[in-house]
């Protein structure tokens, strides 16, 4: 019984999250922002450590 509740709640939250992700493009940007900030910081660090080498990341 408790497992049915946990699985049901997990499915419901997943459906809600996917719906919000699809309907609100601003949410996608907000969720992805920390990853982009981290990527930019790592890229900047790499460029500072190896200034002669160019980064090929997109």
């Amino acid at each position: 019984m408790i497992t049915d509740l946990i699985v049901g709640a997990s499915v419901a939250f997943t459906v809600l999250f996917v719906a919000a992700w699809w309907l609100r493009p601003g949410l996608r940007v907000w969720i992805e922002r920390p990853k982009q900030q981290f990527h930019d910081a790592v890229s900047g660090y790499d460029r500072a450590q190896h200034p002669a080498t160019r980064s090929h990341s997109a």
Side-chain angles (χ1 to χ4, degrees):
M1 172 145 163
I2 190 73
T3 55
D4 293 336
L5 180 65
I6 292 170
V7 170
S10 298
V11 170
F13 280 122
T14 301
V15 169
L16 287 172
F17 181 78
V18 169
W21 182 267
W22 184 61
L23 295 172
R24 303 281 313 261
L27 178 66
R28 294 179 222 163
V29 173
W30 181 75
I31 289 172
E32 294 290 332
R33 187 176 302 135
K35 179 180 78 170
Q36 292 300 324
Q37 290 172 339
F38 178 75
H39 182 268
D40 293 343
V42 169
S43 295
Y45 176 80
D46 287 342
R47 281 192 300 274
Q49 295 299 314
H50 308 286
T53 317
R54 291 189 178 247
S55 175
H56 296 293
S57 62

